[in-house]
Amino acid sequence: MKRRIASAELLILPDGKILAHNLTPEVAAVLRELNSGDKQMKQRAARPKRDELSART
Amino acid sequence: MIALESRAELAAERARLARAALADCRLCAHNCGVNRLAGERGRCQAGATARVFSAQIEVGDELELIPTFAIAFSGCDLRCAFCITGADSWNAHRGEPFDPATLAARAADAHTVMILGGEPTIHLPAALEIAAAMPEDMRLVWKTNAHGSAQAREWLAGIFDVWLADYKFGNDSCAWRLARVENYNAVVRENLLWAAGDSELIVRHLLMPGHVDCCWRPIAGWLAENLPGVKVSLRDGYWPAWRAKRTGFLTRSEVGRATGIARECGLHLIP
């Protein structure tokens, strides 16, 4: 298949909750900046790549 | 008979068998028996050639699986009204053809490779070809609606490291109304019990507005009784999309109640 630009979708609900679909690392980083208290998004934005994981084990 | 030792060899051999079996397709529990090689179409409307509508690194899945290189096939055997990928998932002719070796090269940096859809079971030959192209030490995740047949399971045995399986509806009435599928619970339960013996299993349930008591509660009870200790991913990101735009949003109170049910049942929830 042709290489496509990665895409993600966001939906902001009336109560301010943000839903993300096909969350890419780059979008996770943006969401982490929007809400620095979101621990899970912090983890998602910071997930190491495979070679970094192997180096630790 | 030559013993097949590597995952790549096993997957490649089974891909050939599975492709031939498209002549009498019984890969999912709809059990259509159509000849996809001759252009006939069953309920999923898929042909003999698989297409991919998305292939990219993602971090939105369970934390232990990310970053994952997610490869999404077009086409599905279910018709969930709230499907987040809508037309791409339902239309097996969307997306593009692909080369397994190219996908493997693009996946090199990921922690896991996740094969999903739509529903990958209906494209089992292509999914196995992709598995065959991946390095032996890459963790492979089979993301499925758990509506596959016994024949599909036979070809999947021992290939994937993790089954990430949806359990969407806790009763057959909701399954029919929301996804046009019969005998849903019996099929899903059979698949989950099998998967738990074949690989690591993560059961995923997407909470739906208005379905905590009719769907989540019986699912939680069944998991506690039949798969104690299984990893459960309770998702609260219900996206009112596709044909479910009028169903509204999941409320905080529903999420709280669902989490309480999980706690009462002693489920092993994972983020």
Side-chain angles (χ1 to χ4, degrees), chain B residues 1 16 54 70 99 124 148 163-164 177 180 207 235 269:
Chain B
M1 186 175 166
R16 282 189 284 275
S54 174
D99 169 46
L124 191 58
W163 269 51
L164 176 55
R177 194 156 51 83
R180 289 289 180 265
L207 288 169
R235 310 280 282 188
L269 294 183

Side-chain angles (χ1 to χ4, degrees), chain B residues 4-26:
Chain B
L4 297 169
E5 292 184 339
S6 73
R7 178 174 69 187
E9 288 173 315
L10 196 58
E13 174 60 19
R14 290 182 184 171
R16 282 189 284 275
L17 296 171
R19 188 161 297 285
L22 293 181
D24 177 27
C25 185
R26 298 179 193 280

Side-chain angles (χ1 to χ4, degrees), chain B residues 110-128:
Chain B
H111 179 40
T112 63
V113 168
M114 185 179 297
I115 298 186
L116 67 154
E119 172 53 38
T121 303
I122 64 170
H123 295 299
L124 191 58
L128 290 169

Side-chain angles (χ1 to χ4, degrees), chain B residues 145-266:
Chain B
N145 61 23
H147 190 249
S149 66
Q151 186 184 55
R153 293 195 294 272
E154 193 179 313
W155 287 321
L156 284 164
I159 301 291
F160 286 83
D161 300 287
V162 180
W163 269 51
L164 176 55
D166 287 328
Y167 195 161
K168 297 167 188 272
F169 313 107
N171 67 83
D172 286 353
S173 167
C174 288
W176 173 253
R177 194 156 51 83
L178 295 173
R180 289 289 180 265
V181 56
E182 310 93 350
N183 199 28
Y184 173 82
N185 276 268
V187 172
V188 169
R189 290 172 179 186
E190 189 175 285
N191 273 282
L192 296 182
L193 291 170
W194 179 89
D198 179 70
S199 65
E200 282 184 38
L201 172 64
I202 299 172
V203 180
R204 188 189 269 189
H205 177 73
L206 173 66
L207 288 169
M208 300 175 288
H211 289 265
V212 172
D213 289 310
C214 59
C215 286
W216 170 235
R217 189 180 289 280
I219 289 171
W222 185 84
L223 291 173
E225 194 175 332
N226 295 278
L227 288 168
V230 71
K231 291 177 182 174
V232 178
S233 174
L234 188 58
R235 310 280 282 188
D236 64 358
Y238 180 86
W239 186 301
W242 192 229
R243 299 187 175 178
K245 284 185 178 163
R246 289 187 295 267
T247 58
F249 306 105
L250 192 65
T251 64
R252 286 178 198 273
S253 143
E254 286 177 308
V255 175
R257 202 147 47 82
T259 309
I261 291 169
R263 208 175 299 122
E264 283 166 28
C265 292

